[in-house]
Amino acid sequence: MTDPFYIYRPALELLGTSEGTDKGRGYNEALSYGAYTGGDRELVAMTLDQIDELQTAMLTHPKNKWNSSALGRYQIVRTTLRKIRKALRLTGRELFDEAMQDRMACFLLGGRGIDRWLAGKMSLNALLLALSKEWASLPTPKGKGYYGGQNASVSVGSVQAALYEVRRRRAEYGAPMQAAPDNGGGGTAAAGGAVVVVGTGAGAVTGADDWSGLAIWGGAALVLAVAGFVAWRNRDEIALAVYSLKTRFSGDKS
C-alpha cells in the first residue's frame, strides 16, 4: 500500500470536490482562489509558521468579507490549524505539503468520529452531522449546510458513497474495527493512514509461586518500558483522543 492515507482517501477526495479546491490549485489553493493572499502562493513549500503568518494576513485583509483564513486543499482555518499543531506537538518548521495536509484532514475526520462510525459505535447520521460542522461544504443528514447562509456543495448521497468506500477499504485492510472509548481513555487515529487503536486495558502479569522477587520486578519494569515505548509511538493517536473529546463539545467551524 503506497498511499499512507489509502483507507481515508475517498473522504479526502470528496473534500477536495466539496471545498472547490480541486477545480483550482488543490493543495496550494486559498480562500476565494488567492484573493486575500496577494495572488497564488506555493503553500506546499511553506512551513507551518509561514502558513500561520499568511493566515493572519488574510484575516486582516480589508476585502475579506468572510473573515476567514481557510487555505489548502481542505480549507483549514487558522484556529483549527493551531489546535492541530498543539495536539500533534508540531514545531512549526514542518512543511504544509501534501502529506501534512492529508494528515491534518485525516486527524479532523478522526476527531469528528469517522473511526467510531467504522467501529459501529456511531450512527451514519451522527457522523454526517459532525462532518458538516467541520466542513461547511458538507451537508447535514437533511441535505442542508449546518451553518446559516452557506449551502452544502455536495449531496448527502455523495458523502455516503465516499464513507461506504472508506468502510470497504477498512474491511479490506483487515485490521480490527475498534472505537475510541467515550470516556477518553484511549482513541483511534486517522492521522497515520490506517486506523490505529490506542488501547486502555492493561494486560496482567502473572507468575508461578516460586518466582523470585527479582524476576517479578524485572518483568514489571519490562512491561512499563514497553508501555512507555508504545505510548511514544502512538503519541498522535493519544493527542487525537484528547482533541476528539474537545471537538465533540466545542462545535468549532473550519
Side-chain angles (χ1 to χ4, degrees), residues 219-235:
L222 178 60
V223 170
L224 289 174
V226 172
F229 176 74
V230 171
W232 179 83
R233 284 290 301 272
N234 293 283
R235 58 194 182 278

Side-chain angles (χ1 to χ4, degrees), residues 68-227:
S68 174
S69 56
L71 47 66
R73 189 187 191 200
Y74 309 109
Q75 295 291 280
I76 302 176
V77 300
R78 187 184 66 174
T79 299
T80 302
L81 201 150
R82 285 179 174 178
K83 289 180 179 179
I84 297 173
R85 283 181 55 175
K86 183 178 180 180
L88 298 182
R89 298 182 181 180
L90 300 174
T91 66
R93 297 187 297 273
E94 299 87 353
L95 290 179
F96 191 60
D97 57 15
E98 293 89 345
M100 178 61 73
Q101 291 184 41
D102 285 350
R103 180 187 180 193
M104 289 183 165
C106 285
F107 187 88
L108 294 174
L109 287 169
R112 290 297 181 177
I114 193 169
D115 298 317
R116 294 193 299 276
W117 174 72
L118 287 170
K121 300 296 184 179
M122 185 180 196
S123 71
L124 178 58
N125 280 349
L127 177 59
L128 291 172
L129 181 61
L131 293 177
S132 71
K133 295 178 181 180
E134 191 67 59
W135 286 280
S137 63
L138 297 181
T140 67
K142 296 181 179 180
K144 305 289 185 180
Y146 179 81
Y147 298 99
Q150 188 162 353
N151 296 322
S153 61
V154 293
S155 67
V156 173
S158 296
V159 182
Q160 290 175 332
L163 292 175
Y164 288 147
E165 176 60 15
V166 169
R167 187 169 66 180
R168 186 196 68 78
R169 293 185 181 201
R170 185 66 179 83
E172 175 189 25
Y173 189 76
M177 292 185 184
Q178 292 180 298
D182 291 337
N183 63 7
T188 58
V195 181
V196 180
V197 179
V198 180
T200 57
V205 178
T206 61
D209 292 339
D210 59 352
W211 274 17
S212 69
L214 178 61
I216 294 174
W217 285 108
L222 178 60
V223 170
L224 289 174
V226 172

